[in-house]
Amino acid sequence: MRRKMTHMAIALMALTLATACGDLSRDNLVDPVVNGGQNLGDQLLGAWSGNDAGKNEIYTFTADGRVVLRDFTSLTGGTVDRNATFPTTRVRIFAGTYTLVGNLLAMFFTQAQSNDPDEVLPVPSRQKVVAISIRGDTLTFTESDGKRFYTRLQ
């Protein structure tokens, strides 16, 4: 009888512990669990496309620490056609390097160019630092003005 009570007590404690842990689905975007055993830096490699109301851009990250940002703009204010040339679509390209420490991504751009022949595009003087998370094929930048979402292209 005592052994049966001990087993019941253990089962009750295990059930209490399991239900007290809350949601075990691990859908938190900053959860340290990574896809397929890859670290965050490995997951970041490749091209990421973002297209929201404020931005239309592609970031490409390489294993040797290089980053390229392609920013697309419609000069008429309409829908952006990434395959169109100037003057339908202006493309600004920023190239540089990146580092990733924990989930903080720092990008320092050293080159800038535009397909607009009249635009003098300065190289950004400051590095861009954002907190990132990757869930599946979605990269999230947490910036001072909100979150931006990017979809993996490669």
Side-chain angles (χ1 to χ4, degrees):
M1 178 73 164
R2 183 175 192 164
R3 185 178 200 147
K4 192 174 192 179
M5 292 295 276
T6 303
H7 288 306
M8 284 181 56
I10 291 172
L12 184 59
M13 287 188 326
L15 181 62
T16 302
L17 180 61
T19 58
C21 288
D23 183 12
L24 300 177
S25 66
R26 302 187 74 84
D27 286 334
N28 182 346
L29 289 176
V30 294
D31 196 319
V33 171
V34 295
N35 297 333
Q38 291 183 324
N39 66 39
L40 192 57
D42 290 341
Q43 291 181 67
L44 183 62
L45 300 178
W48 298 88
S49 173
N51 184 5
D52 62 26
K55 303 274 185 180
N56 191 318
E57 52 196 16
I58 296 175
Y59 280 92
T60 303
F61 299 93
T62 61
D64 62 358
R66 290 182 292 134
V67 59
V68 174
L69 165 61
R70 286 179 174 78
D71 181 64
F72 302 87
T73 309
S74 170
L75 297 180
T76 62
T79 303
V80 174
D81 179 358
R82 289 182 176 176
N83 296 315
T85 58
F86 185 81
T88 303
T89 302
R90 178 176 52 211
V91 182
R92 293 174 171 161
I93 301 172
F94 301 92
T97 59
Y98 75 93
T99 57
L100 182 64
V101 178
N103 72 327
L104 289 180
L105 174 65
M107 294 173 279
F108 185 71
F109 295 106
T110 56
Q111 300 172 20
Q113 67 184 51
S114 173
N115 68 344
D116 179 346
D118 295 327
E119 182 176 33
V120 177
L121 188 60
V123 174
S125 60
R126 297 185 323 161
Q127 68 180 359
K128 178 176 182 170
V129 179
V130 295
I132 68 165
S133 62
I134 298 174
R135 183 56 129 191
D137 286 332
T138 302
L139 167 65
T140 304
F141 281 10
T142 302
E143 301 187 53
S144 59
D145 61 344
K147 293 186 179 203
R148 299 210 191 294
F149 300 96
Y150 299 86
T151 304
R152 182 182 300 281
L153 293 177
Q154 300 175 348

